[in-house]
Amino acid sequence: MSGEGGASRLGRRLLKVRDRFVAERLDGLLVTHGANVRYLTNFTGTSGALLVGTSTCRLVTDGRYLTAARALLAAPDGPPDTELVPVERSYEATVSELLAGTGWPRIGFEVAHTSVKTHRQWTDRVGQAGQAGAQVPELVETYRIVEQVRAVKDPGELSTLRRAGQMLTEVAGEVRRTLEPGQRELEVAATVDHTLRSGGFERSAFDTIVASGPNSALPHAQPGPRRLAEGDIVLLDFGGVHDGYCVDLSRVATIGPPTEAAQRLHAAVADAQTAAIEAVRPGAWASDVDGAARRVLEERGLGEAFGHGTGHGLGLEIHEEPRVARRDADRERAVAAGADGPLAPGMVFTIEPGAYEPGFGGVRLEDDVAVTDDGCEMLTDVGRDLWVVS
Ligand code: GLY
Ligand code: MN
């Protein structure tokens, strides 16, 4: 089908990518980042590349995925006008021959996802494979073309993420019920991972974090043999993948009644999170949301204790655009790098301020939101009280 109105879901995504060809003076784009290939084709194999032209696409993959790829291309919701190209000797050789055979003057590639070695192989081989007298395509560095399109979710993605958020909410309730003093961090992490799977997720979205006592002051601690002991703060950070889409949640427990210091940290972080959630609306900048959380923590003397950004986009990857981080003095550079920019309806990201006091402990509260026409929708719905375990 042609035309935006009648285009399929994947067709609409391709149109948005092709819109960028004009500004970047491209005749085609070689997409090699797995999440980007999946976004444009529904292809879920671990190796594949997509050459997007102005009206057709070519999906390159190897023998392991050919049957699945054929079925995908034949499916009614499959990628439009896409031809399958099997890998012959190696990806580099097949892709280079494909590029050389297009006759297109300028073909973009994803510089953030290409090794220097692969780039060298492409350029050497494209030169060799070009027919005598034929145009040898120039390989042009591109940055974030598909990622920027992915940052705004379509209605189908939003409903998948909404469902994933509900599932994560249920998993959190189950995890809370199973916590007991004396368990080892590793044991709790294994329970979290098991609960994610039994709750319907296809896998954990990242290595589950369970950090107890002083370990909770390390924002990305690895769970270890330490046992949960009376007086500990326990930071739990976990997420799942549902239908390819990632959701992410952090909550904090105390073993026994919380100390005043733990309560103070928790209340400050909860207020920072509320302020950030209230700052989410279309047109607000991602850094405004970060600023709202940061201001609350600074007012409580915890500015230094909040050493990371407020959030990150969620989608086919656990960390994607938009980034919700501190304002950069050079706004233009931040926008170009995808580190800041105005929020738009359909963006989905975490809000996860934290405060960490080395040697004592840390608190992080994390929920997932979708930007709506006039604010935001919470995708996760878990009480933000301290989980007191006795
Ligand atoms: N929740 C894990 C992360 O954001 O990296
Ligand atoms: Mn996160």
Side-chain angles (χ1 to χ4, degrees), residues 122 129 145 150-151 165 168 217 255 259 261 263 304 371:
W122 287 338
I145 290 188
R150 281 173 48 202
L168 194 58
I255 307 302
T259 59
Q263 276 175 324
E304 296 284 310
V371 183

Side-chain angles (χ1 to χ4, degrees), residues 134-163:
Q135 168 100 42
V136 174
E138 180 191 349
L139 294 183
V140 180
E141 290 186 9
T142 69
Y143 186 52
R144 304 171 48 231
I145 290 188
V146 186
E147 283 84 344
Q148 283 183 72
V149 179
R150 281 173 48 202
V152 175
K153 272 60 188 177
D154 61 35
E157 291 177 292
L158 283 172
S159 77
T160 302
L161 282 158
R162 210 170 272 131
R163 176 70 196 124

Side-chain angles (χ1 to χ4, degrees), residues 7-361:
S8 65
R9 183 180 186 195
L10 296 182
R12 282 192 291 275
R13 295 177 182 178
L14 281 164
L15 281 174
K16 288 181 191 158
V17 167
R18 287 176 174 135
D19 275 350
R20 291 286 302 278
F21 283 18
V22 181
E24 311 228 4
R25 294 188 299 112
L26 297 177
D27 304 289
L29 175 68
L30 177 65
V31 180
T32 49
H33 183 51
N36 290 345
V37 173
R38 176 171 183 166
Y39 180 73
L40 295 175
T41 62
N42 292 339
F43 177 76
T44 55
T46 55
S47 306
L50 184 73
L51 180 60
V52 181
T54 52
S55 59
T56 58
C57 291
R58 259 137 320 154
L59 176 64
V60 182
T61 191
D62 64 83
R64 292 171 298 169
Y65 302 115
L66 287 177
T67 307
R70 273 190 202 103
L72 194 75
L73 298 195
D77 62 349
D81 305 313
T82 301
E83 182 192 325
L84 185 61
V85 179
V87 165
E88 301 265 333
R89 282 160 290 134
S90 69
Y91 271 93
E92 282 77 13
T94 302
V95 166
S96 304
E97 278 161 25
L98 190 60
L99 297 176
T102 57
W104 300 339
R106 282 170 57 88
I107 303 179
F109 72 96
E110 300 181 294
V111 70
H113 306 292
T114 304
S115 70
V116 173
K117 176 171 165 245
T118 298
H119 182 252
R120 259 188 213 144
Q121 287 181 330
W122 287 338
T123 43
D124 290 352
R125 286 172 187 264
V126 167
Q128 287 160 14
Q131 306 295 316
Q135 168 100 42
V136 174
E138 180 191 349
L139 294 183
V140 180
E141 290 186 9
T142 69
Y143 186 52
R144 304 171 48 231
I145 290 188
V146 186
E147 283 84 344
Q148 283 183 72
V149 179
R150 281 173 48 202
V152 175
K153 272 60 188 177
D154 61 35
E157 291 177 292
L158 283 172
S159 77
T160 302
L161 282 158
R162 210 170 272 131
R163 176 70 196 124
Q166 288 163 355
M167 286 159 58
L168 194 58
T169 298
E170 283 163 31
V171 167
E174 186 64 26
V175 166
R176 180 175 186 167
R177 283 188 283 279
T178 59
L179 283 177
E180 283 180 22
Q183 290 170 318
R184 295 186 189 277
E185 291 172 352
L186 274 167
E187 210 178 317
V188 177
T191 304
V192 169
D193 292 337
H194 176 79
T195 311
L196 284 165
R197 293 232 183 197
S198 59
F201 285 103
E202 55 207 51
R203 58 186 166 86
S204 305
F206 54 89
D207 288 344
T208 295
I209 297 169
V210 178
S212 63
N215 294 345
S216 62
L218 310 168
H220 269 198
Q222 280 185 341
R226 191 178 182 285
R227 291 188 187 276
L228 314 190
E230 188 73 18
D232 277 357
I233 291 180
V234 185
L235 196 157
L236 300 115
D237 183 348
F238 51 92
V241 182
H242 168 58
D243 236 346
Y245 283 78
C246 302
V247 282
D248 192 357
L249 184 95
S250 300
R251 284 294 182 272
V252 171
T254 58
I255 307 302
T259 59
E260 256 184 48
Q263 276 175 324
R264 188 181 66 88
L265 268 188
H266 183 269
V269 173
D271 288 349
Q273 200 201 23
T274 302
I277 291 168
E278 284 173 356
V280 177
R281 68 182 67 88
W285 279 52
S287 57
D288 295 335
V289 175
D290 179 272
R294 208 164 288 284
R295 212 160 21 250
V296 171
L297 290 169
E298 280 166 1
E299 281 164 11
R300 313 277 172 99
L302 292 167
E304 296 284 310
F306 179 26
H308 55 76
T310 292
H312 53 88
L314 292 168
L316 289 170
E317 291 178 283
I318 181 66
H319 294 138
E320 55 176 64
E321 296 191 22
R323 270 168 56 192
V324 182
R326 207 189 271 267
R327 171 153 309 161
D328 193 316
D330 184 342
R331 265 189 142 180
E332 256 177 55
R333 183 185 60 192
V335 171
D340 201 359
L343 300 176
M347 287 182 169
V348 172
F349 49 87
T350 67
I351 298 201
E352 51 175 311
Y356 311 88
E357 297 196 339
F360 169 65

